[in-house]
Amino acid sequence: VVSIAVDALGGDLAPRAVVDGAVQAARRLGLNILLVGPADQIGAELARHADAATLPITIIDAPDAITMGEAPLAALRRKPRASIKVAAELVASGRAAALVSAGHTGATLVAAHATFGVLPGVDRPALAVTVPTRTGAAILLDAGANVDCRPSHLVQFGVMGAAYATVAMGIEYPRVGLLSIGEEAGTGNDLTRDAHAGLSRATVNFIGNLEARDLFSGQADVVVCDGFTGNMALKVSEGLVGMIGQWLREDFGPQLGRVVPRATLRSFRRRMDYAEYGGAPLLGVGKLVLVGHGRSSAHAVRSAIAAAARLAEARVVERLAAALKP
Amino acid sequence: VVSIAVDALGGDLAPRAVVDGAVQAARRLGLNILLVGPADQIGAELARHADAATLPITIIDAPDAITMGEAPLAALRRKPRASIKVAAELVASGRAAALVSAGHTGATLVAAHATFGVLPGVDRPALAVTVPTRTGAAILLDAGANVDCRPSHLVQFGVMGAAYATVAMGIEYPRVGLLSIGEEAGTGNDLTRDAHAGLSRATVNFIGNLEARDLFSGQADVVVCDGFTGNMALKVSEGLVGMIGQWLREDFGPQLGRVVPRATLRSFRRRMDYAEYGGAPLLGVGKLVLVGHGRSSAHAVRSAIAAAARLAEARVVERLAAALKP
């Protein structure tokens, strides 16, 4: 049975949403959950569920939280018993097969990096988010782990993303596109122009620039960008879906306007929102780590735990390491 | 009567869409149009309109085009009689009050910069696009003129954007937001963090970071970003609207599915697409320049010409120059 370490203090709705999501997962998914955070708070939240004592959930006491405003490196140094750090250690020691957190992405990255390092050949781990496309789905990376990148980092993201698409999605020769603002190799900024040259020489199926307009087109299986750009593209899309929903309601009145957003837009939101969609793996670190959206609901936490179990059973990190070997 | 110089070779559908748009504008708007491009081609397109000879349209012969693949600086040096260059000279000499082009944005920028320079205190002109919001509209700049920016450029974009919002939209104290991936000052990348510090010291009503999710929220009147990020945000939005339209059609079948996108999404596209919306001014150059979307239709060209006439009559560049004075 797989054990998953869950940061109970991660996310805007923690610890309640995390504990509730863990309870849902523990009831249904046949796995062990290590809930990491202040034992008293977790205990109080668990007590709201009548069957809590019968579930395969273990509380691991870790009193400190890293808050959104803190600089991760300094905060983790100051707080060796922070929940994210203790959770990472459970994975490093082999007690858990994966780490799930909907908290501070930077803190998760730093804790993972410090605790179990990166895979050989990787300089910068990247957050890989699944985005819906006209024809199915694509992997976008980096979705926010590295806000300032060098061209060589983007080349690595392409290699890691392709390996992940093969391992996790079963695509034999994933098409790797570089997110930019024009199709031609010369368009984009200094970063994308140099990354284009690097990806052209890399051993991936590089299809060149992917116009931002075509992000959802299905032309690429793997979409490469720096973390600022990737996070920006995802958040702009989230905001736009919200606005279109409002307009549909205004244009069609409460009756139809309620139906249309409910059906299509909610389904889109579910596909779009990486928390709902099951958490985003942090590719390139030495162990399996999934990051949930900061606004993760209990359902989102449950989805992320399920995804972590699935990827752990598929031995994704081991296979990624093998694929990245020079 | 205002005269507008129109680059007849600008845009994917040129010269036909440009000539047709100019004809529409000349019929209705009470202005003179100088159509700049190969005289024979323009003449042939004009001949398709029975009333062409009676319209206030003058052909200015300029045989050469700058194509999308060319590096603007070198191309303009090689082709002194390129349509965009000749059109800019008509504005520099005072024969036209504004320049309109749906062609190569980089070439338009370089031609304008070389021909009539920038306003005092401006290092980098910026493309200012009007985006729809939940509550009305906002000015986003830079939308693609400067793909690599320094923090000081973003500060200038804030000052120019605020001045433009006052002059063109009548907003007394425009709220200026810095497009980023988090609300806190410390979030974002190196560029936005430094620009945040600079904007905090600038004499604008700076409201701090604007989360990418809130781009369409109406929280800011002016949205500041580098040209790569701005262009990316606009194009991702365009692509997403296209995909949602497809999904609505699939979910609701041809009947309802045709109605919903027709009403709401088409109206959104019209509001979103800066060509349809009337062309985007290139703020900070010494004369009035409007850039249309590369895919501009005749209607879009007509809208851009109308916007140019409106901004020329409002003496926007003169008032911008006054507002930018230290």
Side-chain angles (χ1 to χ4, degrees):
Chain A
V1 178
V2 167
S3 293
I4 311 290
V6 179
D7 175 8
L9 294 179
D12 300 346
L13 308 174
R16 177 157 294 183
V18 180
V19 171
D20 290 357
V23 166
Q24 290 176 22
R27 279 184 193 141
R28 302 284 171 118
L29 303 175
L31 39 74
N32 292 322
I33 292 175
L34 309 177
L35 263 178
V36 188
D40 52 343
Q41 284 184 45
I42 296 176
E45 294 294 346
L46 276 176
R48 291 168 37 250
H49 302 276
D51 61 344
T54 69
L55 296 173
I57 294 180
T58 307
I59 300 176
I60 308 287
D61 189 42
D64 296 325
I66 310 290
T67 57
M68 291 310 288
E70 292 182 288
L73 207 61
L76 283 164
R77 220 169 267 154
R78 255 195 333 270
K79 301 174 182 170
R81 297 196 60 212
S83 57
I84 184 66
K85 179 80 178 130
V86 173
E89 283 162 357
L90 291 169
V91 179
S93 71
R95 229 184 122 186
L99 164 61
V100 169
S101 176
H104 195 309
T105 303
T108 305
L109 174 61
V110 171
H113 201 301
T115 313
F116 36 74
V118 294
L119 296 177
V122 172
D123 289 318
R124 299 274 199 109
L127 203 58
V129 164
T130 305
V131 296
T133 67
R134 280 177 195 265
T135 53
I139 302 290
L140 177 146
L141 77 171
D142 176 27
N146 309 278
V147 290
D148 289 292
C149 289
R150 287 198 298 270
S152 63
H153 300 141
L154 268 59
V155 175
Q156 280 189 5
F157 298 166
V159 174
M160 286 199 292
Y164 180 73
T166 301
V167 165
M169 299 166 77
I171 303 169
E172 203 169 355
Y173 299 108
R175 297 158 300 165
V176 176
L178 176 64
L179 190 62
S180 190
I181 57 172
E183 281 171 32
E184 302 85 8
T187 60
N189 57 13
D190 288 345
L191 175 65
T192 64
R193 273 190 296 269
D194 290 348
H196 190 286
L199 281 162
S200 302
R201 290 188 300 266
T203 52
V204 291
N205 178 13
F206 181 51
I207 60 166
N209 284 356
L210 182 75
E211 255 266 45
R213 191 183 285 122
D214 297 324
L215 172 55
F216 302 104
S217 69
Q219 288 173 28
D221 302 304
V222 176
V223 179
V224 171
C225 55
D226 68 90
F228 181 87
T229 299
N231 201 285
M232 171 76 52
L234 294 173
K235 284 185 173 160
V236 165
S237 303
E238 269 185 54
L240 182 54
V241 168
M243 193 175 69
I244 291 177
Q246 180 189 308
W247 280 352
L248 287 170
R249 279 188 297 276
E250 284 169 5
D251 285 3
F252 291 94
Q255 233 107 55
L256 181 56
R258 221 176 275 147
V259 176
V260 173
R262 188 175 296 158
T264 300
L265 293 182
R266 195 178 286 176
S267 123
F268 177 77
R269 253 185 221 141
R270 206 174 306 127
R271 286 191 259 185
M272 191 66 216
D273 188 334
Y274 55 93
E276 296 283 338
Y277 206 66
L282 193 57
L283 300 185
V285 290
K287 302 281 180 180
L288 186 56
V289 178
L290 272 90
V291 174
H293 197 288
R295 298 183 183 177
S296 285
S297 61
H299 180 75
V301 171
R302 180 213 140 114
S303 299
I305 293 172
R310 212 166 45 239
L311 295 176
E313 275 159 13
R315 306 183 63 76
V316 159
V317 172
E318 293 79 356
R319 292 165 69 192
L320 204 57
L324 291 174
K325 246 178 211 154
Chain B
V1 178
V2 167
S3 293
I4 311 289
V6 179
D7 175 8
L9 294 179
D12 301 346
L13 308 174
R16 176 158 294 183
V18 180
V19 171
D20 290 358
V23 166
Q24 289 176 21
R27 278 184 194 141
R28 302 284 171 120
L29 302 176
L31 39 73
N32 291 322
I33 292 175
L34 309 178
L35 262 178
V36 188
D40 52 343
Q41 283 185 46
I42 296 176
E45 294 294 346
L46 276 176
R48 292 168 37 249
H49 301 276
D51 61 345
T54 69
L55 296 173
I57 294 180
T58 307
I59 300 176
I60 308 288
D61 190 41
D64 296 324
I66 310 291
T67 58
M68 291 309 289
E70 290 182 288
L73 207 62
L76 283 164
R77 220 170 266 154
R78 256 196 332 271
K79 301 173 183 171
R81 297 197 59 213
S83 57
I84 185 65
K85 179 81 178 130
V86 173
E89 284 161 358
L90 292 169
V91 178
S93 71
R95 230 185 119 185
L99 164 62
V100 170
S101 176
H104 196 310
T105 303
T108 305
L109 174 60
V110 171
H113 200 301
T115 312
F116 37 73
V118 293
L119 295 178
V122 172
D123 289 318
R124 298 273 199 109
L127 203 58
V129 164
T130 305
V131 297
T133 69
R134 280 177 195 265
T135 54
I139 302 290
L140 178 146
L141 76 170
D142 176 27
N146 308 280
V147 290
D148 290 292
C149 290
R150 287 198 300 268
S152 63
H153 300 141
L154 268 60
V155 176
Q156 280 189 4
F157 297 166
V159 174
M160 285 198 293
Y164 180 73
T166 300
V167 166
M169 299 165 78
I171 303 170
E172 203 170 354
Y173 299 108
R175 297 158 301 164
V176 177
L178 175 65
L179 190 62
S180 190
I181 57 172
E183 282 171 31
E184 302 84 9
T187 59
N189 57 12
D190 288 346
L191 175 65
T192 64
R193 273 190 297 269
D194 290 349
H196 190 286
L199 281 162
S200 302
R201 291 188 300 267
T203 52
V204 292
N205 178 13
F206 181 51
I207 60 165
N209 283 356
L210 182 76
E211 254 266 45
R213 190 183 286 121
D214 297 324
L215 172 56
F216 302 104
S217 69
Q219 288 172 28
D221 302 303
V222 177
V223 179
V224 172
C225 55
D226 68 89
F228 181 86
T229 299
N231 201 286
M232 171 77 52
L234 294 173
K235 284 185 174 161
V236 165
S237 302
E238 269 184 55
L240 182 54
V241 167
M243 192 175 69
I244 291 177
Q246 180 188 308
W247 280 352
L248 287 171
R249 278 187 297 275
E250 284 170 6
D251 285 3
F252 290 93
Q255 232 108 53
L256 180 56
R258 219 177 275 147
V259 176
V260 172
R262 189 175 296 158
T264 300
L265 293 182
R266 195 179 287 177
S267 124
F268 177 77
R269 254 186 221 139
R270 206 174 307 126
R271 286 192 259 185
M272 190 68 216
D273 188 332
Y274 55 92
E276 296 282 339
Y277 206 65
L282 192 57
L283 299 185
V285 290
K287 301 282 180 178
L288 186 57
V289 178
L290 272 90
V291 173
H293 197 288
R295 298 182 184 177
S296 286
S297 61
H299 180 75
V301 170
R302 181 213 140 115
S303 299
I305 293 171
R310 210 165 49 237
L311 295 176
E313 275 158 13
R315 306 183 63 76
V316 159
V317 172
E318 292 79 356
R319 291 167 67 193
L320 203 57
L324 292 174
K325 245 179 212 155

